[in-house]
Amino acid sequence: MAEQEASGLWVLLQTLQSSSDRESILNIIQVLGDLLSVGTDQRIHYLVTKGGSEALLRTLVDVARTVSPDYDILRPLLRMLAKVGLRDKKFGQKALELEALDVTLILARKNLSHSQNLLHCLWALRVFASSVTTGAMLGINGAMELLFQVITPYTQRRTRVIRAATEVLAVLLKSKSNSRRAVTRGYVSRLLRLHQDWHSRDATQGHVPTRRALLLCLKHVSCLHSGREALLAAGGMESLFSCVQGCLDDRRLEPVLSVVLQILRGCCPRRPLPLVTTSSAYAFQVPGSDFSELPRALAEEDFEDDEDSGDEEVDRDSDSEYAKEEDDDLETDVCKLSSKPGLNRPEEELKQYEAMCLELCCSYEELASKPGDHLDSEESQHASRQHILTAASPKRHGSNKSQTSWGQAREGSVQSSLLSMVKMGRSTVHPASKIRATKNPFASAQVNGLGTDSSRNDMPDLQTLFREDGWDMHMISCPEMSPSFSNSMRPRQPLEIIEKLLQRHTKLIPFHDARLYMVKARKAKSVADFKVMAFPDLWGHCPPPSAQSMLERKHGVQRIKILEDIRRLIQPSDLVDKVVFSLDEPHPLQPPAPHSLQFFSQFESGNLRKAIQVREFEYDLLVNSDVNSSQHQQWFYFGVSGMKASTVYRFNIINCEKANSQFNYGMQPTLYSVKEALLGRPAWTRTGREICYYKNHYRRRQRSMGPAGRAAEKYYYTLTFALTFPHSEDVCYLAYHYPYTYSALRAHLDLLERSVNPKEIYFRQEVLCQTLGGNACPLVTITAMPEGPGAAQMEQFRE
C-alpha cells in the first residue's frame, strides 16, 4: 500500500513538471492542495522527501517565463509553495539553484498595481527570505527597494499587501548584510517615520501586525552598532518611548509593546557596573596561593561596544541567530510557572510520622532547661541559666549552679566515657539508670511577643521611652561587639542599653538567648572583621503570626520598571545619582543628604557593597561577591534607617547573576523592623510589591572565549521591589531570605544540648576541623542512649 501511494505521488509530481496542458496542471495542483489540507504536517514532510519542493519550483519557473504568464496557475502554485516552504529547511537554497528567486521578484515588480497577484508573490518571498543566504541574495537584487515602493504611510487601502510587504522586509533585515545596506541607504529614519504614522493614526488598533512588522525591522537593524547610532540620531528612543506611554495596559498591543522594549533595551548603552572592581571588597589569603596580584580596576575599554565587530562574517542560518536576539525575560516567566504539585498520599497518612519529627508539629516553648545546663567560663559570666521558656515558669530564674554541678560532672563523664568505650569496642562501664517513660516535652504553646499580651494593653511608648532614657535607635539596632558589659566606664553603651531592654521584657524569644548569642558572636571570626551585631540576630525573632501567601504579580509591572530605567537616559532631569554607602569608600566625600536613607551591612552575614540614590525615593544597590571572587552575587542582607512612614521606596539590586529568580513567581524579600520588635512583634515578614527580576544593560565579561574568538559576554540582572516601612525614623533590615548566621548555629547547638535529657538522648558536640578563617566546624552526634549495660545494647549503640 505504501509503495502504491508513493508511486501515485511520484506520477503526480512528474506529470506536473512535464505537462503543458493548463487544465492538467490546475487539476494536479488542486489534488496536491487537497492532500496537504488535511492531516498533520507529516504529509508535507513526506511530499518534501519525494521531491515535491523541486517539482513545484520548476513548475513556477516554467509558467512564469511564458510570454503571458497564467496567474490562475501561479496564484495557487505560490500559495502551495508558501505552505510547503515553511516545512522544508533547504527551501531557500533550492529556490536559489532553480532561479525561482529572480522569477518571483520579477513577478512582484510586474504586479505592483495588482494587489492579489502581488500578495501571492510576497507570501512566497517571505518564505524564500527565511534563509539568510537567500535573503541576502534578494537584498542584492533590489528586494528592499521594491518593498519600500509597496509600503506606504497609513492608508485604508491595500492593507493586506502592505502588511505582507512589511513582514517580508522584517525577515530580510535579519541578514546582517541587508541591515548594513538599510543603514547605508537611510532606511532607518524612513522606517521610524512609517511607524510613527501608523501608530498615531491607528486609533482602533486594527493594524497591530503591520506596526509590529515595522518595529521588527527597526529591531533587526538595531542589532548592529551602526544601526543603533542611526536610530539614536533619528530620535528613535524618544519616539518609541513616548509612543508606548499611554498603551501599557492595552492587552491588544502586547506584540507591539514587547518589540518596543527590546529595541529600547538594545539601544541603551552597555556599561560596566559602577564599581572600582568587580572583585570582592574582602580578600583572604588562601594557603598556598599567590596573594601579591591585586584585582585590576574596571576600565571603559573593557566594555567597548564590539557587537558589530563580526559584521564581515558570512551570514549564518537565521533561526539560530534570531533565537539569540529574543529577550526571554519579558513578561514570560509567569507563564512558565508550573502548578503546585499535590501530595502523593492522603494527608491523614502523613500524621503517622509526627512521632518521628516532633519539631514539625510542636513548638520549643515548653522545652525546660535541664539540670545539666552549663556554660564555659565566659558564657557563665554573661548568659542566663534559663534559656528556654516553660509554660509554668514564664519568668527567668537565678542559676542553681551549686545544686547541679555534681549532676553536670557525672552526666558529662558518662557520655564522654561512653563515647570512648564505644570507639574501643568495649562495654565495661555501666551507663546511667535504665530509661523510664517520660512525658513528651514538645507541647504546643503560643507566644504573644515580648512584654505584651494579645490585647496589647501594656504596649510601651517607644518614643517616650527613648526620649526619657536618652537612647538612640540606631545605637540599639546595631550594637558593637564589646568584650563585656562591665569593663567599659562610658555611660549609655549600646550593650548596656540592650541589657536594660532584656531586663524589662519578661518573655524571651522561643529557643533563643540574646546573651548567649553575643558570647558566640564575639568568638566568631570573619574576613570582614565585623565589629557590630545585627539586631534581628541578637534579639531573635518569632515566626510570622500567620502564613504568608505568594504575591500575585501585577501584569505589565516589568515593562513599567524597564521603561523607568530607560527614562533615566532620556529624561535625566530628576536624577540625584549620589553615592550614600560604599565599602570601597568608607567615608564618602559627599555629605549625606538630609532626607536620604542611611545604609549599613558590616555585620555577620550582611551583604551590601554600594548604595546609590537615583531619585528622591529610589536607590540602586550593589551586593558584594564572594570572598576572593568576582561572581556569585545573589544574597543580600543590610540595614536601613532614616525612613518616613507612608512613603513608597524603590530598591533596585542591579548586579544579580542568575538568569531567573523566584521573585518572578511571587517570592518577596524579608523585612525586620526594630521598632516592631521592641513593641512585641519580633518577626521577619515578607514585604514588597511591584517585584520583578529582569536583565539590565550592565555587562560582565567572561573569561571563556566565544565561537568568533572574542570574550563571551553576559549581562547582569536587576531585582526591583517597592515597599513602605511601618514606622518613621525606624531601623529596618532587609534580606533575600530569613538570615541564619554562624553564631546563631553555635548558640542553637548549645541550647539544643541543654534541652535534651542526657539520660535518654546522647548529644555530643565535637570539632570536626577548623575552617580557613579560624572558626570551628562542629560535628554533632545525636542518638538514643543504650537501654542497658549489656554487650548487646552497647554493640547496638556502637553501630
Side-chain angles (χ1 to χ4, degrees), residues 501-783:
L501 288 174
L502 291 173
Q503 292 174 359
R504 291 187 179 184
H505 294 292
T506 58
K507 292 184 179 180
L508 297 177
I509 303 296
F511 209 71
H512 180 77
D513 189 317
R515 298 172 181 84
L516 177 62
Y517 180 85
M518 284 189 285
V519 172
K520 296 297 183 181
R522 286 198 297 268
K523 293 182 178 180
K525 300 178 182 179
S526 173
V527 177
D529 193 21
F530 298 129
K531 302 297 184 182
V532 296
M533 290 176 285
F535 188 86
D537 304 322
L538 168 66
W539 194 259
H541 55 91
C542 294
S546 60
Q548 296 177 281
S549 59
M550 301 289 282
L551 179 68
E552 183 177 355
R553 177 161 165 164
K554 179 182 177 182
H555 177 77
V557 63
Q558 188 184 59
R559 292 169 178 162
I560 295 174
K561 301 307 177 185
I562 294 176
L563 289 175
E564 288 180 3
D565 292 343
I566 294 172
R567 186 164 68 90
R568 300 185 190 183
L569 179 66
I570 299 176
Q571 302 171 0
S573 57
D574 62 339
L575 296 183
V576 178
D577 198 19
K578 184 177 182 180
V579 178
V580 295
F581 171 80
S582 176
L583 292 181
D584 303 311
E585 302 173 9
H587 303 287
L589 299 178
Q590 305 177 14
H595 300 296
S596 67
L597 297 176
Q598 287 83 48
F599 296 85
F600 57 96
S601 66
Q602 293 168 293
F603 47 81
E604 190 173 356
S605 290
N607 190 25
L608 179 66
R609 182 169 183 174
K610 193 172 187 178
I612 304 172
Q613 186 177 10
V614 179
R615 299 185 179 96
E616 184 178 4
F617 303 113
E618 182 179 357
Y619 295 84
D620 279 354
L621 309 178
L622 294 100
V623 295
N624 196 22
S625 58
D626 283 357
V627 176
N628 290 8
S629 172
S630 60
Q631 297 180 350
H632 312 300
Q633 298 103 244
Q634 204 73 19
W635 168 261
F636 61 88
Y637 181 21
F638 59 90
V640 59
S641 61
M643 69 285 294
K644 298 179 181 178
S646 304
T647 299
V648 179
Y649 293 89
R650 179 184 171 189
F651 298 99
N652 312 308
I653 301 177
I654 62 175
N655 63 332
C656 301
E657 286 185 317
K658 291 170 57 179
N660 201 352
S661 173
Q662 287 298 317
F663 287 109
N664 274 331
Y665 302 101
M667 178 176 163
Q668 297 172 275
T670 57
L671 180 140
Y672 187 101
S673 168
V674 174
K675 283 190 175 182
E676 284 289 302
L678 296 178
L679 289 172
R681 297 181 290 273
W684 284 97
T685 59
R686 294 288 178 180
T687 187
R689 57 183 182 275
E690 299 179 358
I691 302 174
C692 56
Y693 186 95
Y694 57 89
K695 182 171 60 178
N696 57 37
H697 61 279
Y698 292 106
R699 297 198 301 179
R700 56 190 180 102
R701 186 180 294 275
Q702 301 295 314
R703 293 184 179 180
S704 61
M705 303 301 290
R710 301 186 306 274
E713 292 180 349
K714 292 185 178 181
Y715 290 85
Y716 288 100
Y717 288 77
T718 293
L719 165 64
T720 178
F721 57 92
L723 60 86
T724 303
F725 293 102
H727 303 282
S728 295
E729 299 303 325
D730 191 7
V731 178
C732 294
Y733 290 80
L734 288 165
Y736 181 92
H737 200 63
Y738 306 118
Y740 190 75
T741 63
Y742 172 78
S743 299
L745 168 67
R746 298 304 306 271
H748 287 169
L749 288 177
D750 282 4
L751 294 176
L752 277 173
E753 187 172 8
R754 295 168 199 160
S755 67
V756 302
N757 188 344
K759 297 180 180 180
E760 301 175 1
I761 299 175
Y762 179 87
F763 189 108
R764 181 179 177 85
Q765 292 190 61
E766 297 176 278
V767 177
L768 177 65
C769 61
Q770 294 288 328
T771 66
L772 293 178
N775 293 308
C777 182
L779 172 64
V780 183
T781 306
I782 306 175
T783 186

Side-chain angles (χ1 to χ4, degrees), residues 338-347 350:
S338 59
S339 59
K340 183 178 179 180
L343 298 175
N344 57 3
R345 63 178 67 186
E347 189 172 357
L350 298 177

